[in-house]
Amino acid sequence: MKLQEESQGMTIQVLIIISIKMTKDFKRPDGRKVEELRPIKAKVGVVPNADGSAMFQFGDTIAIAAVYGPKEHHPRNQRDPEKGTLRCNYNMLSFSVTDRIRPGPSRRSTEISKITQWALEPVLMVEQFSNMVIDVHIDIIQADASTRCAGINAAALALAHAGIPMRNLVSSVSIGKLDKQLVVDVSKYEEDWEEGEGATDIPISMTPDGEMTHIQLDGMINNEELIEAVKLARKATKQIYEIQKKALKEAIN
Amino acid sequence: MTGDRIKQYLSHGKRFDARLPDEFRDIVIETNVSNKAEGSVRVKLGKTEVVVGIKMNVSEPYPDSPNKGNLMVTAELLPLSSPRFESGPPKFEAIELGRLVDRVVRESKLIDVEKLCIKEGEKVWTIFIDVYSINDDGNLLDAAAIGALAALKNAKMTKYDDKEGKVLFGEVTNQNVPLAKHLPFSITLYKVGDNFLVDPTREEEDVSETKINIGRSAKGIHSMQKGGVAPVSPEEFKKGLEMSEKVYNDILKKVEKYLK
């Protein structure tokens, strides 16, 4: 312990050097650069029944989202006279992953549903539809990690497509730490990284102004690295925002 | 209001979208829509859309069929696909959908279940067919059955390690699911007023009081179930059966090119 404290100063220096070096040489399994997103596709209007809908794809991860509302909120006792309610519902199709998952809600999907609501609500002008509810349904058609991020991106697009008053869009990306290397937009292969310190997964959602509406983290990371991760997320979400904006414009034309 | 008008039109053999009572909407099938599934398809029937995926696993056979593989069909009516569907445990409509598709596949003996036996009495394959609605504009049932058939045709068997007795998930062989040659479809006749129609839009399905689901192939009828409260007379029934045969050929013509 004592030895560690003494050498800490030096360790950080060494780390910085190593991390600069690694950034240049680090090879990602799919050949991407560390800050490179997977190919993105975004499209709105994929579910004709819905008031607004969108598909968002990061590489092999495909999410679709549909918005119904604002509409009457049932049961009545859940109505909020001050503001509208946003209800999100995240669901993975049973065959979207290698081992079939049992259809229907799970503890994981319940949590992600809530996280998604928290990520999106800050940009919605909920004060404009008091006593009403907006339902956002997100389904993962094909999963290759970062499904919640793809879901949030699709949901933000679907809300905008539904014409719901919003202050801004939300864009989401997962930053990963593979051993000591930070990377943008984690794939499944990278999520299961076992070498060195293993994988740390940090999904982050931001508005184009850089306000963070959502962050989660699983793994192990230090302060400096985490701050760096948020910076990377800022850059990546800006790129995603541009793609989202383009998808919305295409829908109008 | 709309209901009365639909009935009135139909009594003259007409429909809102200019189709004939026994005419299906255009069918589009896309394959490999979800790459982790052993087989997957998207079926579009007009504006109605379903996604169907195949997964498999090895398990013990049922004691009364020690040398036969198992089949399990589940359907979920995603809240995403219609304002009518809500989250929560499956309601009757979803259970009915899964069970009817199950019977179209099972009763037609489409899958050669004996070839799914790995070791008699101990290990057999279970094939999961999972149906999800993406957009409901009526007749999810027949769309789902087309999806089940197309997904099975699209699927490759998962790799199985005989020595270890383990399924190697994520690794597929180039072997197809053992299927018979005939092509079973579900044809559901909806009674609206005094007439039958097939492939209803949502509006048409809503005014229908009775439906007869028929699973049939070129070999004949494999399964049937009447749903809804209105009775059907023997004459109507006979007319319906003749109609279903014609409709079978209509569907076959529309999907044949996708099922090669």
Side-chain angles (χ1 to χ4, degrees):
Chain A
M1 195 61 210
K2 202 170 174 219
L3 196 76
Q4 254 185 10
E5 272 168 31
E6 278 174 338
S7 63
Q8 214 170 34
M10 205 179 87
T11 319
I12 288 173
Q13 263 187 344
V14 173
L15 260 180
I16 290 168
I17 295 166
I18 289 175
S19 73
I20 290 167
K21 190 166 174 291
M22 282 188 70
T23 309
K24 277 186 184 151
D25 301 344
F26 191 81
K27 284 254 165 29
R28 293 178 76 171
D30 53 8
R32 275 186 290 158
K33 296 192 193 79
V34 293
E35 291 190 26
E36 193 178 335
L37 291 155
R38 285 175 284 179
I40 293 176
K41 273 188 205 153
K43 195 181 168 205
V44 301
V46 296
V47 181
N49 271 352
D51 297 313
S53 62
M55 181 280 294
F56 193 93
Q57 179 170 6
F58 276 128
D60 278 343
T61 295
I62 306 172
I64 55 174
V67 171
Y68 291 93
K71 58 183 184 183
E72 229 174 283
H73 194 172
H74 291 292
R76 286 180 86 99
N77 63 358
Q78 285 178 11
R79 287 183 186 175
D80 188 339
E82 309 242 299
K83 62 179 183 64
T85 309
L86 177 67
R87 256 190 327 211
C88 296
N89 168 21
Y90 166 99
N91 179 47
M92 281 177 113
L93 303 198
S94 57
F95 47 78
S96 62
V97 283
T98 319
D99 293 20
R100 178 178 184 265
I101 41 173
R102 257 179 67 127
S106 63
R107 288 156 59 102
R108 174 180 175 274
S109 69
T110 309
E111 184 192 70
I112 296 177
S113 298
K114 194 71 191 167
I115 290 291
T116 304
Q117 181 212 319
W118 288 330
L120 296 168
E121 201 175 311
V123 299
L124 286 182
M125 294 173 153
V126 280
E127 62 282 359
Q128 288 191 14
F129 36 92
S130 55
N131 281 324
M132 310 282 265
V133 66
I134 297 174
D135 274 325
V136 181
H137 302 287
I138 300 163
D139 284 281
I140 307 300
I141 304 281
Q142 182 173 293
D144 186 26
S146 309
T147 58
R148 73 195 66 189
C149 298
I152 289 169
N153 290 334
L157 275 175
L159 283 163
H161 183 232
I164 293 176
M166 292 164 85
R167 292 182 189 87
N168 229 330
L169 272 177
V170 173
S171 311
S172 186
V173 71
S174 69
I175 304 298
K177 186 166 91 47
L178 314 179
D179 187 10
K180 292 188 175 60
Q181 179 60 51
L182 289 172
V183 297
V184 172
D185 185 17
V186 185
S187 68
K188 180 76 189 133
Y189 188 87
E190 293 173 332
E191 202 179 62
D192 299 335
W193 198 269
E194 278 175 359
E195 288 162 45
E197 292 176 11
T200 303
D201 186 19
I202 320 160
I204 297 175
S205 306
M206 280 179 173
T207 67
D209 302 332
E211 301 262 9
M212 203 152 54
T213 63
H214 150 237
I215 181 165
Q216 284 172 293
L217 190 152
D218 286 303
M220 191 189 64
I221 199 164
N222 64 33
N223 285 2
E224 289 77 15
E225 287 167 332
L226 186 53
I227 288 163
E228 190 55 37
V230 173
K231 278 187 195 155
L232 287 176
R234 175 91 175 101
K235 266 200 225 166
T237 50
K238 270 186 184 166
Q239 292 174 41
I240 294 165
Y241 171 66
E242 292 303 324
I243 293 164
Q244 286 171 304
K245 219 164 52 175
K246 203 172 139 230
L248 283 168
K249 280 183 184 161
E250 274 168 11
I252 296 165
N253 295 337
Chain B
M1 261 301 272
T2 320
D4 291 345
R5 194 52 62 82
I6 290 175
K7 283 178 195 166
Q8 200 188 335
Y9 266 55
L10 196 64
S11 64
H12 297 102
K14 285 180 186 164
R15 296 167 82 171
F16 282 5
D17 53 11
R19 276 186 294 153
L20 296 169
D22 58 2
E23 189 180 348
F24 257 59
R25 288 169 283 184
D26 281 338
I27 303 172
V28 179
I29 302 177
E30 279 171 52
T31 51
N32 299 322
V33 296
S34 184
N35 67 7
K36 299 275 166 75
E38 271 64 35
S40 63
V41 295
R42 167 179 287 126
V43 176
K44 287 185 185 165
L45 190 53
K47 269 193 195 166
T48 289
E49 184 176 334
V50 295
V51 169
V52 182
I54 307 285
K55 295 296 285 181
M56 34 197 107
N57 200 352
V58 168
S59 53
E60 260 183 46
Y62 288 112
D64 60 348
S65 55
N67 63 338
K68 286 178 183 161
N70 304 321
L71 168 69
M72 204 172 136
V73 183
T74 50
E76 242 192 292
L77 299 174
L78 295 177
L80 164 136
S81 62
S82 168
R84 297 186 309 126
F85 302 145
E86 283 166 9
S87 316
K91 306 221 165 54
F92 175 73
E93 234 185 309
I95 296 167
E96 184 194 31
L97 176 57
R99 287 188 56 85
L100 288 176
V101 173
D102 180 295
R103 289 173 54 214
V104 171
V105 175
R106 193 186 300 271
E107 301 305 324
S108 64
K109 305 214 162 36
L110 171 64
I111 303 176
D112 188 346
V113 281
E114 281 175 29
K115 286 201 182 132
L116 296 174
C117 178
I118 298 167
K119 193 165 183 214
E120 189 169 332
E122 285 178 26
K123 276 181 177 147
V124 297
W125 285 104
T126 296
I127 309 272
F128 294 94
I129 304 178
D130 292 322
V131 177
Y132 290 90
S133 61
I134 300 295
N135 195 67
D136 172 20
D137 188 27
N139 203 20
L140 286 171
L141 188 48
D142 295 349
I146 293 170
L149 173 60
L152 283 168
K153 290 240 171 213
N154 174 248
K156 296 282 181 212
M157 296 298 291
T158 317
K159 223 178 226 176
Y160 179 73
D161 187 337
D162 226 356
K163 278 185 204 132
E164 299 273 326
K166 244 179 22 190
V167 185
L168 303 171
F169 287 109
E171 291 179 47
V172 289
T173 60
N174 56 11
Q175 235 184 321
N176 295 322
V177 178
L179 297 181
K181 285 214 170 65
H182 59 280
L183 304 170
F185 295 128
S186 151
I187 295 137
T188 313
L189 307 172
Y190 289 81
K191 195 178 162 193
V192 176
D194 295 327
N195 300 282
F196 281 121
L197 57 79
V198 295
D199 189 25
T201 60
R202 187 70 253 164
E203 281 179 321
E204 291 170 334
E205 196 172 328
D206 283 341
V207 296
S208 161
E209 287 156 343
T210 288
K211 64 172 183 238
I212 303 176
N213 173 256
I214 302 168
R216 75 179 308 153
S217 71
K219 286 180 159 182
I221 296 166
H222 304 291
S223 63
M224 184 177 288
Q225 176 160 310
K226 176 181 166 296
V229 287
V232 176
S233 71
E235 292 78 43
E236 285 174 327
F237 186 70
K238 187 167 166 267
K239 246 199 271 172
L241 280 186
E242 283 161 7
M243 188 172 179
S244 76
E245 202 168 359
K246 195 169 163 232
V247 173
Y248 178 85
N249 292 321
D250 181 29
I251 303 177
L252 185 64
K253 214 165 61 197
K254 284 181 164 134
V255 301
E256 222 169 8
K257 62 179 172 211
Y258 298 111
L259 296 177
K260 270 171 191 151

